[in-house]
Amino acid sequence: MPLSPLDHDRRHGELDQVMRAYAGQPADDTPERAGQALTAYLRHTWHTRPGALAVAEQQLREYAEHPPGRLRQRLGEFYALPDVGLADGEIQPWLLCLADHLRRSVEEGEVPAPAAPATHWEWHARFPELGQFLGGWFSQDMPDEFADHDAAVDHYRAATDPQLVARLVGELHELLALDLDESDYAVAVAELGMEVDPPAPYSPSGWLALVADRLAGARPEYEPRP
């Protein structure tokens, strides 16, 4: 039978996080240089869950040195690595390369400097509630579901636990503190799931600031669209 959620997380939970960091990214790491995906994983994890790095190193090395055999594959009791664009014979040395980079980062204190997210995974790992908000309330269906952007914001506020609303306000301020160019803010909201333009005449950053102020104010009463 497939691995239970508990067994999955014990054996492969952090390995899975590393693999998710490669979604849409090349597995182009070399012994001399970590690629963009692994650098993004290191940057975010060092600053949020540094203890997870040693777990990731152990799980990567264990999987590379003891890949699932035929019996475990037949029973479904194994972690299926996603396709990262490498041939079968290249997978093991690549996994060991990643483990070596993680070990060196921990043992030598090589911590990527704070920076704006560089990958889709890092945007969502750093701004999870903002991803829920933009992807859930500002998809391409938003104009059919709400009268305008303000109505969508009010619905989120009325339907969401106040603690999560407060977390979103914090993430909005953190994103604005990155002080990106407007074109980069447009990329950021698109990466986080927004599929409609901000309302005129606001730029992406101007609208995000407006949303932060609206959510931090008095709790509105949501009025459904007529």
Side-chain angles (χ1 to χ4, degrees), residues 14 29 40 62 93 105 119-120 122 125 130 151 155 170 184 189-190 197:
E14 203 57 35
D29 312 87
E62 178 69 20
S105 180
T119 68
H120 181 77
E122 191 179 8
L130 184 53
H155 181 269
D184 291 326
V189 296
D197 291 330

Side-chain angles (χ1 to χ4, degrees), residues 190-208:
E191 288 281 6
L192 289 165
M194 189 171 183
E195 297 177 340
V196 295
D197 291 330
Y202 294 100
S203 64
S205 68
W207 179 70
L208 292 172

Side-chain angles (χ1 to χ4, degrees), residues 137-155:
W137 276 263
F138 292 92
S139 70
Q140 60 185 351
D141 297 326
M142 188 275 284
D144 298 325
E145 298 176 356
F146 303 104
D148 54 24
H149 290 65
D150 286 348
V153 174
D154 290 347
H155 181 269

Side-chain angles (χ1 to χ4, degrees), residues 176-223:
L176 291 168
L178 295 177
D179 196 23
L180 306 175
D181 293 336
E182 283 304 328
S183 59
D184 291 326
Y185 277 115
V187 170
V189 296
E191 288 281 6
L192 289 165
M194 189 171 183
E195 297 177 340
V196 295
D197 291 330
Y202 294 100
S203 64
S205 68
W207 179 70
L208 292 172
L210 184 71
V211 170
D213 289 343
R214 191 175 185 88
L215 291 174
R219 192 177 183 91
E221 291 293 334
Y222 171 67
E223 296 182 3

Side-chain angles (χ1 to χ4, degrees), residues 151-164:
V153 174
D154 290 347
H155 181 269
Y156 167 85
R157 178 77 179 277
T160 305
D161 187 282
Q163 296 181 64
L164 295 179

Side-chain angles (χ1 to χ4, degrees), residues 1-3 12 63 68 72-81:
M1 62 173 57
L3 291 171
H12 312 300
Y63 193 97
R72 286 171 59 194
Q73 291 187 36
R74 187 167 70 248
L75 295 174
E77 297 179 349
F78 72 105
Y79 174 76
L81 286 175

